[in-house]
């Protein structure tokens, strides 16, 4: 009887431990951050509409697995607000793009969409973030 | 005696479960629900569920934006409904932001993610719920009538949806996102959430 009771308790404990909600928050420290410009309609096979200073791209899981390392639509928040020319400062972004297929940047790098390819936006993008030696710490609400 | 022991063990298990589920980060977390039921909801249903929590956070809360989240293992969204949504609220002309995560028609997490360093978000970025007259099930149907739109099977699985405001033209937009037949190119259709009219068809221009 005791053995049965013990076994049931262990099973129930496992259910509680491993069947709970999977949503969590994950923080990544001192990651590369860059900016990009391009069509609002996205690029290549990624035609999801980009939004200036809202859309961010992250790495794919691997060069052969085009799933992003965090799910499409996930919200992230930087621990220090990013300076976005013409807008001000902002911390909350949405992951709806992927990039850096060759993995040049740190694993949890992200890329902020700076708008269409104008001289001003391109200049702003080129002087942003890691290009200016500013790493970023952020939390992903996955 | 045995009954008491069983009761104690069960109580401990439930308590332990509660502690584990509420762990996460330093952010203020105001609601966590638990369920194993798989329930899909439309965009407007998700907003409606989230809104109650947002006004409890602050009675001046307004919808800022929302998107389906691609957490599903399989293809989903075929009826304009999804299991997972991230809905963001804010208070116009302040930097206050509140994230409500919906899973299976319940609030899974509701967090104040305000950053005091942020520039206040102008009022024109916010959405008046009463102006949203169309929902994702009917807009997906409409999208499929306009173009061949297929569900993603790899990433951005099924059909995805997003709501945000085009601040330049002050139009609330609902995006319906799918793929071409080969699943090598995403396609997006933007609809005016108030009139249901096609606003922009984004395909094949990458």
């Amino acid at each position: 009887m005791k053995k049965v009771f013990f076994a049931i308790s262990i099973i129930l404990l496992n259910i509680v431990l491993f069947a709970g909600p999977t949503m969590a928050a994950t923080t990544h420290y001192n990651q590369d951050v860059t900016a990009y410009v391009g069509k609002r309609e996205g690029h290549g096979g990624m035609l999801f509409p980009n939004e200036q200073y809202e859309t961010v791209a992250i790495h794919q899981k691997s060069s052969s697995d085009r799933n992003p390392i965090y799910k499409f639509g996930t919200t992230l928040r930087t621990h220090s607000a990013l300076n976005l020319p013409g807008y001000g400062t902002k911390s909350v972004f949405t992951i709806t793009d992927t990039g850096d297929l060759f993995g040049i940047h740190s694993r949890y790098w992200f890329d902020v969409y700076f708008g269409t390819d104008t001289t001003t936006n391109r200049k702003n993008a080129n002087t942003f973030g890691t290009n200016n030696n500013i790493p970023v710490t952020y939390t992903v609400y996955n | 005696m045995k009954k008491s022991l069983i009761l104690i063990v069960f109580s401990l298990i439930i308590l332990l479960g509660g502690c584990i589920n509420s762990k996460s980060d330093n952010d203020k977390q105001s609601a966590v629900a638990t369920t194993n039921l798989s329930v899909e909801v439309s965009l407007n249903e998700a907003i409606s569920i989230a809104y109650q929590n947002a006004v409890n956070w602050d009675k001046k809360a307004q919808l800022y934006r929302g998107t389906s989240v691609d957490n599903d293992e399989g293809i989903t969204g075929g009826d304009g409904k999804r299991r997972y949504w991230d809905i963001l609220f804010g208070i116009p002309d302040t930097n206050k932001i509140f994230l409500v995560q919906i899973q299976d028609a319940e609030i899974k997490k509701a967090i104040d993610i305000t950053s005091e360093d942020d520039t206040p978000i102008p009022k024109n970025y916010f959405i008046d719920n009463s102006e949203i007259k169309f929902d994702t099930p009917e807009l997906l149907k409409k999208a499929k009538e306009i173009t061949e739109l297929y569900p993603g099977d790899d990433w951005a699985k099924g059909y995805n949806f997003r709501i945000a405001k085009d601040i330049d033209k002050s139009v609330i937009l609902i995006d319906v996102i799918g793929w071409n037949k080969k699943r090598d190119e995403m396609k997006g259709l933007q609809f005016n959430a108030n009139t249901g009219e096609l606003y922009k068809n984004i395909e094949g221009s990458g």
Side-chain angles (χ1 to χ4, degrees):
Chain A
M1 178 62 190
K2 273 184 185 171
K3 280 180 185 171
V4 173
F5 175 65
F6 180 72
I8 291 169
S9 299
I10 293 296
I11 289 166
L12 284 171
L13 188 62
N14 276 314
I15 289 169
V16 170
L17 284 174
F18 301 112
T22 52
M23 285 182 180
T26 310
T27 298
H28 299 292
Y29 296 89
N30 298 321
Q31 295 298 311
D32 291 348
V33 58
T34 53
Y36 67 108
V37 295
K39 291 177 181 175
R40 285 197 69 190
E41 295 82 3
H43 56 86
M46 268 299 309
L47 296 176
F48 193 85
N50 290 324
E51 291 181 86
Q52 188 183 37
Y53 300 150
E54 173 61 31
T55 298
V56 297
I58 58 171
H59 280 131
Q60 295 184 180
K61 282 186 175 170
S62 70
S63 56
S64 58
D65 183 350
R66 59 184 181 159
N67 277 285
I69 52 177
Y70 285 109
K71 303 291 187 182
F72 177 97
T74 302
T75 304
L76 71 81
R77 186 189 66 168
T78 58
H79 288 205
S80 298
L82 302 183
N83 189 18
L84 306 172
Y87 175 86
T89 51
K90 190 169 185 280
S91 304
V92 177
F93 304 90
T94 309
I95 297 166
T96 52
D97 202 356
T98 56
D100 186 30
L101 296 183
F102 299 106
I104 294 165
H105 297 290
S106 62
R107 176 67 175 156
Y108 294 102
W109 153 89
F110 72 86
D111 206 9
V112 184
Y113 177 64
F114 263 41
T116 52
D117 193 356
T118 64
T119 308
T120 304
N121 287 347
R122 182 165 281 273
K123 184 184 164 201
N124 289 338
N126 286 337
T127 54
F128 174 78
T130 303
N131 292 330
N132 215 12
N133 290 320
I134 301 170
V136 68
T137 294
Y138 68 94
T139 296
V140 181
Y141 299 94
N142 54 320
Chain B
M1 178 62 187
K2 259 185 188 171
K3 278 184 184 170
S4 304
L5 192 63
I6 290 169
L7 198 64
I8 289 165
V9 171
F10 272 72
S11 302
L12 280 172
I13 289 168
I14 289 163
L15 273 174
L16 187 58
C19 292
I20 288 162
N21 290 336
S22 63
K23 72 173 185 184
S24 63
D25 50 44
N26 296 327
D27 295 303
K28 189 174 86 181
Q29 187 170 318
S30 66
V32 175
T34 56
T35 180
N36 289 322
L37 291 175
S38 172
V39 184
E40 295 180 343
V41 293
S42 68
L43 171 65
N44 287 351
E45 287 167 340
I47 291 169
S48 179
I49 294 163
Y51 184 67
Q52 284 309 312
N53 207 278
V55 290
N56 287 340
W57 166 69
D58 192 299
K59 62 182 178 188
K60 287 179 280 183
Q62 280 193 25
L63 178 62
Y64 177 43
R65 56 178 56 250
T67 182
S68 56
V69 182
D70 194 31
N71 278 332
D72 300 87
E73 292 299 322
I75 295 172
T76 183
D79 54 359
K81 298 182 176 188
R82 302 278 307 208
R83 288 181 67 198
Y84 302 91
W85 296 89
D86 272 15
I87 310 291
L88 283 165
F89 295 88
I91 301 170
D93 298 321
T94 76
N95 52 18
K96 305 290 179 198
I97 291 280
F98 190 64
L99 169 65
V100 183
Q101 294 187 313
I102 304 289
Q103 180 184 333
D104 298 322
E106 289 188 9
I107 292 169
K108 220 55 198 164
K109 190 185 280 184
I111 317 166
D112 183 336
I113 56 171
T114 300
S115 170
E116 295 302 332
D117 300 335
D118 279 9
T119 299
I121 304 169
K123 191 174 172 51
N124 62 330
Y125 278 72
F126 289 88
I127 296 166
D128 180 347
N129 293 6
S130 67
E131 289 183 23
I132 307 169
K133 305 286 187 199
F134 286 80
D135 201 0
T136 44
E138 57 201 309
L139 293 179
L140 175 60
K141 205 173 163 189
K142 217 170 199 182
K144 285 177 172 176
E145 287 166 7
I146 294 167
T147 185
E148 286 190 1
L149 196 65
Y150 295 89
D153 56 2
D154 184 0
W155 83 280
K157 289 185 288 295
Y159 297 98
N160 278 278
F161 310 98
R162 179 172 71 175
I163 187 166
K165 202 161 177 186
D166 179 334
I167 54 156
D168 296 330
K169 295 179 179 168
S170 194
V171 177
I172 303 165
L173 297 175
I174 295 177
D175 300 345
V176 177
I177 312 296
W179 292 80
N180 65 3
K181 197 171 184 178
K182 284 174 150 181
R183 267 76 163 187
D184 59 359
E185 200 166 73
M186 289 179 93
K187 298 166 80 170
L189 289 89
Q190 294 187 306
F191 292 93
N192 182 320
N194 185 256
T195 63
E197 290 167 353
L198 180 67
Y199 186 78
K200 201 169 188 182
N201 185 354
I202 301 164
E203 57 180 301
S205 58

